[in-house]
Amino acid sequence: MNKSIATDIHRISPSRFVMVMARVKAVAIIAVMAVILLLSVVAGYMVNNIFYVVGPALILVIGPIIISMIYFYYALSPTAAMLTLPHRVVFCNDKIDIDYYNPDDEMLPNETIQPQRTTSHLANSVDVQLLSTDILITLNSKQSNVVAVVPFDSFTSTQNLNSAMQLLNIAPTYISSL
């Protein structure tokens, strides 16, 4: 039996996509800033007290510049542009399908609209990460190649969300208010 679970047709804003990617990349950014701060404290103790000012100044000036570059890199990426289109994610036992719809179509409840484009990925070729309110799906081959960001509220029910998590082999460790 080929069991499948589909989300509602939804869009992801570029800011939400960047927020998800920032959660994933935050560990590296915080680690670099902590190393800079630690080195400045050690240099201030060993060499000159001016390094007590230089380290935090680097973090307060260069840190936001780096974070803004990362923001623009992800917000202007083709993946963010594709996720702003209306799409539906279908989870099956052996694959994940993403159906993209035309943004100009008026979606009436009684009318079925055909997807404009469909992409398919084998379940064994993707990595899945459970974030606080989203599921991040990336390709195995490249960590930066994002396939989809699936918000929990795009599922029609909590049961569908739990079933999708079981299909993806991730444990539901949250309390939902759907």
Side-chain angles (χ1 to χ4, degrees):
M1 178 179 167
N2 195 6
K3 182 179 174 185
S4 66
I5 291 106
T7 64
D8 284 338
I9 297 174
H10 63 282
R11 295 175 186 229
I12 304 291
S13 66
S15 61
R16 175 118 186 213
F17 177 69
V18 171
M19 182 179 65
V20 168
M21 294 310 297
R23 274 188 236 144
V24 173
K25 306 289 183 189
V27 174
I29 294 170
I30 291 171
V32 167
M33 289 184 182
V35 166
I36 291 172
L37 189 61
L38 181 65
L39 290 175
S40 69
V41 168
V42 169
Y45 180 74
M46 304 275 276
V47 179
N48 192 349
N49 288 342
I50 193 71
F51 286 102
Y52 289 131
V53 176
V54 170
L58 286 175
I59 290 174
L60 293 174
V61 172
I62 295 175
I65 292 171
I66 292 171
I67 290 171
S68 66
M69 287 177 166
I70 292 170
Y71 178 84
F72 285 120
Y73 174 77
Y74 284 113
L76 299 174
S77 69
T79 304
M82 286 299 291
L83 292 177
T84 59
L85 294 174
H87 62 279
R88 180 180 65 179
V89 182
V90 180
F91 301 98
C92 298
N93 289 334
D94 56 347
K95 65 180 179 172
I96 297 171
D97 293 329
I98 304 171
D99 300 328
Y100 294 98
Y101 296 89
N102 187 359
D104 296 332
D105 287 341
E106 291 293 325
M107 291 185 259
L108 301 174
N110 297 331
E111 187 179 346
T112 59
I113 300 172
Q114 295 299 320
Q116 195 176 31
R117 179 176 167 225
T118 300
T119 60
S120 184
H121 303 280
L122 294 175
N124 59 3
S125 69
V126 295
D127 286 330
V128 179
Q129 294 180 11
L130 180 65
L131 302 173
S132 60
T133 59
D134 302 304
I135 299 171
L136 177 65
I137 303 171
T138 58
L139 290 178
N140 283 344
S141 60
K142 296 171 84 177
Q143 188 64 20
S144 64
N145 198 355
V146 176
V147 172
V149 174
V150 184
F152 288 173
D153 57 1
S154 67
F155 289 94
T156 55
S157 68
T158 306
Q159 183 179 4
N160 283 351
L161 175 59
N162 289 331
S163 299
M165 287 184 173
Q166 287 175 354
L167 283 175
L168 296 171
N169 293 326
I170 53 179
T173 58
Y174 69 96
I175 299 172
S176 176
S177 61
L178 289 178

